[in-house]
Amino acid sequence: MNVYDFDKTIYDGDSTADFYIFSLKRHKKILLLAPSLICAFLKFYVFKIGTKTQFKEKMYKFLKYCDIQKDITDFWNINIDKIKPFYKNQQQKDDVIISASPEFLLAPICKTLKINYLMASVVDEHTGKYSGINCHGEEKVRRYREMFGDTKIYEFYSDSYSDTPLAKISEKAFIVKGNRLLDWDFSK
C-alpha cells in the first residue's frame, strides 16, 4: 500500500488556507475575526507560545460563519484540478491519505477521488475544536498503526521532512517538491 500526505503533496497548495480564503471571499463577516487571528499568529509563530493545535482552533473560528456542506462542495468543485497529475497517474485502490488538515475538509475530495482510507485531524466543522491530537509527525505513525497494524508501507510521499517518522517505516519514501519526486534524504 502507498501512503500520501495531502497538502503540497498530492494537492497543489494548502487546502486549509485555500478554504479559508475561499470562505473569506464568500462570507465577509470572517473579517471580524482578523484581530484575534493576527494575535494568535504572533503568539504561536513569532513568540512561540502555545501549541499548533491552539493556533488552529483560533483560526477555525471562521467556520461559524460558513455554510459548511455547501461551501466545501463548492470549494472542491473549483479546486479539484489542483490534484497533481503524478498522483492521478499512479493512484491505486488501497492508497492512504494521512494529513494534518481537518478530516471534514478532506473527506469529500477523498470520496470523489475514490480514496478509501483517510486519516486526518478530527476537527468539529462548526466550532473548530479538535477531538484529540493534530495529525502530525509521530501522530501519523500512531494512527497508521492503529488502523493497519504492521502492514508495510510500500511507498510514502510527502512535501515535508516533518513526516520522517512515516518515511522511516516505508520501503521507499519520496519528498515532493512541486511536481518533482525526489528520494527521501534521511539526513534532514
Side-chain angles (χ1 to χ4, degrees):
M1 102 180 0
N2 294 332
V3 175
Y4 298 84
D5 177 45
F6 189 79
D7 295 312
K8 299 179 188 167
T9 300
I10 70 165
Y11 177 80
D12 188 13
D14 182 313
S15 60
T16 302
D18 289 354
F19 183 66
Y20 176 80
I21 302 279
F22 172 87
S23 299
L24 184 60
K25 289 177 184 175
R26 191 171 265 203
H27 307 286
K28 301 299 182 205
K29 280 189 169 185
I30 293 171
L31 285 172
L32 297 171
L33 301 172
S36 67
L37 185 57
I38 291 167
C39 288
F41 178 85
L42 291 171
K43 185 177 175 184
F44 179 71
Y45 285 103
V46 176
F47 300 111
K48 309 293 184 202
I49 300 169
T51 67
K52 194 173 208 175
T53 300
Q54 289 169 329
F55 166 73
K56 285 185 172 186
E57 283 184 339
K58 286 273 190 201
M59 187 200 73
Y60 289 140
K61 287 188 176 200
F62 81 91
L63 295 169
K64 67 183 176 183
Y65 295 113
C66 296
D67 179 352
I68 290 296
Q69 295 309 312
K70 180 175 180 3
D71 289 347
I72 290 173
T73 298
D74 293 349
F75 173 78
W76 285 120
N77 286 338
I78 293 166
N79 288 286
I80 193 166
D81 291 339
K82 292 180 81 173
I83 300 299
K84 294 183 179 182
F86 93 86
Y87 179 70
K88 291 177 186 176
N89 293 333
Q90 69 185 42
Q91 182 178 1
Q92 296 179 25
K93 65 180 178 174
D94 63 348
D95 286 348
V96 178
I97 300 296
I98 304 180
S99 175
S101 288
E103 184 178 63
F104 72 81
L105 181 60
L106 300 188
I109 191 64
C110 286
K111 183 176 180 183
T112 298
L113 296 172
K114 295 182 172 57
I115 296 169
N116 297 313
Y117 303 107
L118 168 65
M119 286 168 256
S121 296
V122 181
V123 177
D124 184 285
E125 64 189 44
H126 302 289
T127 66
K129 292 287 185 190
Y130 276 73
S131 297
I133 300 169
N134 188 28
C135 190
H136 181 265
E138 289 288 346
E139 178 65 9
K140 288 185 176 185
V141 173
R142 189 193 71 72
R143 291 195 193 185
Y144 177 82
R145 293 281 188 227
E146 187 177 271
M147 183 175 277
F148 297 106
D150 290 331
T151 302
K152 192 71 172 171
I153 297 171
Y154 180 61
E155 292 182 352
F156 173 65
Y157 299 81
S158 178
D159 71 300
S160 173
Y161 284 108
S162 68
D163 283 330
T164 295
L166 272 174
K168 284 181 177 178
I169 64 168
S170 304
E171 289 183 23
K172 296 179 188 175
F174 300 93
I175 194 82
V176 179
K177 297 293 178 193
N179 291 310
R180 296 178 313 151
L181 305 178
L182 308 169
D183 288 334
W184 200 274
D185 181 353
F186 285 96
S187 68
K188 293 191 178 202

